[in-house]
Amino acid sequence: MAQGANRTTAQVVGVVVLAAAVTGFLAVAAVRHGFFDLKVYYGALTWWVHDGGEIYDYLKPGTQYGFTYPPFAALVMLPMAYLPWTAAIVVSVLASVATTTVLIWWLVDPVARRAGWTRWFALAVALCLAAAFEPMRETVNFGQVNTLLLFLVAVDLLRLLPAGNRWAGVGIGLATAIKLTPGVFIVYLLVTGRWRAALTASGTAAGVSLLAAALFPDASREFWTEALWNTGRVGELAFVSNQSLRGVVARLDPEHPSTVLWLLLVLGTLALWAWRSRAAVAAGDEATGLALTGAVMCLVSPVTWVHHLVWLLPALILLVDNAMAAPAGRRRQVLLLTATIGYALLISRTVWLWEKDFTGVDGFLGSNAYVWVSLALLAFLPIRRWLTPNGSVVEASGVPQLDQPDRRAPTGQRHLVGRPLTVR
C-alpha cells in the first residue's frame, strides 16, 4: 500500500515538474499569433451574417487573407458569429484541447497497458509533451481547426472501422467537407480496398456539401468557381512555414518554381504511401495507416503550414509504441532515439532560422527540416502484424484488438495480445 502511494506521489510530482518545465519552455519559445486565423473566421462570419457581405469577399483588414474553407465549414462555424470574441477564443481552445486529449488517449492508452505504465500518468506526460509540440502550439495560437479534423478521421480509423461499424467513413467525409485536404483519407480507403467506408465517406462529404449549397447558394457558387482557385488568398509558396514538397521546390527557385519537379516528387511519394498503406492494412495495423496517410497529406498538399503538421503526432506516438513493444535492446533504443530526434526537431522552430535566407546547402537542409521528418516517418515508420485475442495472427482484412487484453486469449498468451509479432 505504502509503495503504491509513494509511486502515485512521485508521478504527481513528476507531472507537475514536467508541466512547469513545458510552461517555461512555451513562455520562451512559443510565438503569440493572437488567434490570427480565428480572427479571419470570426471577421468573415460577422461580415457575412451581420453586415450582409459575401463570406468569400471578406479579407482581414491589412492582409490578403480571407475565408478559404468550403461552405460546409462556414455552416459548422456559423454559431461563432453570435458569440463575443472572447467566447469564440475559449471555444476554439477548449475544442483543440478536448479533441487532442481524446486522440492521445486512444493512441497512448494501449501502449500504457502493454508497458505496464500507470494510465493517467502516461496520458498526462503525453499531453504535456504535446503542448510543447510546435504544430500543436501553433494550432492553438492561430485558432486553427487541425485537431478537430484529425479527431474526426481518427474516429473512423481507430474506432469505427476496426469495429466493423457501418457508419465508418462519416468522420472522414465530414472532415473533407470542412477542409478538402482530408479527402486523401478517402483515397486511402480506396487504395486499401475498404469500398463501403470509402462510399460512406464520399457520400457524407457530398451530402453535407449539397446541404450547404442549398442553404447558401451564392457562397457555394463563389467558392467552387472562384475562391477555391484563388491561390493568392493562401499565402506565398516559398515561405518557410510551407513544409510540403511544393514548399521545397518553391524555395529552390521562388520566382519560377518547377511544377514538373513537384509533380514527379508527388507521384513518387504517393507510390511509396500506397505501397506502405496496403502493407499496414494487410497487417491489421490501422493506426499506422492513419499515421502514414497523415504524413503523405502534409507532403503532397501544395501548402502545409507548420500548424498542419499536427497530423504527424500519431506517427511520433507510434514510434514510441513500437519501441516499447520491442524487446529491450538495440531496436528499442534506435526507435526511441528516432522518436526523440523527430520530436525535438518539431518543437525547436528550427526551420525559422532560415526564414529570411534559405539559399545554399544549409538553407536547403535546414529550411525543409520538417519535410525531412515527414518523409522519414512515411518511409520508415514500422508496420506491425498483430496477434488477435484468440492467439491467431491478423490476416489481410483483420482488425488489431488493442483494447481487450483478456478476451478469449489463452492464459499463457494474454501478455502477447496487442503486441507486434513481426515488423516490416
Side-chain angles (χ1 to χ4, degrees):
M1 183 71 70
Q3 184 177 0
N6 290 337
R7 182 187 184 192
T8 300
T9 301
Q11 289 175 336
V12 170
V13 172
V15 169
V16 171
V17 170
L18 179 60
V22 169
T23 301
F25 173 79
L26 293 177
V28 175
V31 176
R32 305 294 187 269
H33 298 292
F35 299 97
F36 183 94
D37 289 358
L38 188 65
K39 284 181 180 176
V40 173
Y41 310 151
Y42 190 82
L45 289 164
T46 301
W47 163 265
W48 187 37
V49 173
H50 301 296
D51 298 332
E54 281 295 341
I55 190 168
Y56 295 108
D57 292 339
Y58 174 84
L59 293 178
K60 187 177 183 296
T63 77
Q64 62 188 24
Y65 297 105
F67 195 84
T68 58
Y69 295 164
F72 179 67
L75 176 61
V76 172
M77 296 181 187
L78 193 58
M80 190 189 304
Y82 300 95
L83 293 177
W85 169 238
T86 301
I89 293 175
V90 171
V91 170
S92 173
V93 173
L94 288 179
S96 292
V97 171
T99 51
T100 300
T101 300
V102 174
L103 174 67
I104 290 179
W105 174 254
W106 287 345
L107 292 168
V108 169
D109 188 53
V111 189
R113 291 189 184 198
R114 293 195 300 276
W117 299 339
T118 305
R119 294 162 67 194
W120 73 262
F121 178 69
L123 175 64
V125 169
L127 287 173
C128 287
L129 296 177
F133 190 54
E134 184 178 355
M136 185 64 69
R137 65 186 194 240
E138 293 277 287
T139 287
V140 174
N141 285 332
F142 273 116
Q144 264 284 344
V145 298
N146 303 309
T147 59
L148 171 62
L149 302 180
L150 178 53
F151 172 77
L152 288 172
V153 171
V155 168
D156 276 344
L157 298 188
L158 299 183
R159 316 310 285 185
L160 299 184
L161 196 60
N165 191 295
R166 63 192 181 93
W167 294 103
V170 169
I172 292 173
L174 291 174
T176 302
I178 292 171
K179 186 175 182 179
L180 299 179
T181 48
V184 71
F185 285 92
I186 299 178
V187 182
Y188 165 71
L189 294 174
L190 292 171
V191 165
T192 54
R194 272 74 66 80
W195 310 108
R196 177 171 179 169
L199 182 61
T200 299
S202 301
T204 300
V208 296
S209 296
L210 288 174
L211 172 63
L215 294 173
F216 317 124
D218 293 336
S220 296
R221 186 181 309 109
E222 184 171 355
F223 175 79
W224 295 108
T225 60
E226 295 182 29
L228 175 61
W229 313 103
N230 184 1
T231 57
R233 296 163 62 93
V234 177
E236 184 182 352
L237 291 175
F239 183 41
V240 74
S241 183
N242 185 13
Q243 291 293 302
S244 69
L245 293 172
R246 186 62 161 160
V248 173
V249 173
R251 283 186 285 277
L252 289 174
D253 185 0
E255 297 298 324
H256 304 95
S258 173
T259 300
V260 172
L261 176 58
W262 173 59
L263 290 176
L264 289 175
L265 290 173
V266 165
L267 288 174
T269 302
L270 287 173
L272 174 62
W273 162 74
W275 172 59
R276 301 213 72 219
S277 294
R278 288 175 62 85
V281 171
D285 193 357
E286 202 71 65
T288 297
L290 164 65
L292 294 173
T293 307
V296 84
M297 183 180 72
C298 294
L299 289 165
V300 304
S301 174
V303 174
T304 297
W305 302 134
V306 168
H307 59 78
H308 295 150
L309 296 174
V310 294
W311 291 91
L312 299 184
L313 191 60
L316 291 174
I317 294 174
L318 288 174
L319 276 178
V320 177
D321 187 346
N322 277 277
M324 299 313 300
R330 181 174 178 80
R331 178 174 179 79
R332 175 178 291 186
Q333 294 171 356
V334 169
L335 288 171
L336 286 176
L337 178 61
T338 302
T340 301
I341 292 172
Y343 174 77
L345 279 173
L346 286 165
I347 71 171
S348 66
R349 288 186 57 82
T350 294
V351 298
W352 298 99
L353 296 174
W354 289 271
E355 180 180 3
K356 302 300 183 182
D357 181 9
F358 38 74
T359 59
V361 175
D362 66 312
F364 176 72
L365 296 176
S367 69
N368 301 309
Y370 300 168
V371 178
W372 311 142
V373 174
S374 298
L375 283 169
L377 291 171
L378 176 63
F380 300 114
L381 182 65
I383 294 171
R384 292 82 56 83
R385 184 172 295 279
W386 296 92
L387 185 67
T388 61
N390 64 9
S392 62
V393 175
V394 174
E395 300 299 334
S397 60
V399 174
Q401 303 291 332
L402 301 183
D403 297 323
Q404 305 173 64
D406 294 323
R407 191 177 66 133
R408 294 197 309 275
T411 302
Q413 294 182 342
R414 287 178 184 173
H415 68 290
L416 294 175
V417 173
R419 295 293 295 270
L421 295 182
T422 60
V423 181
R424 302 177 186 175

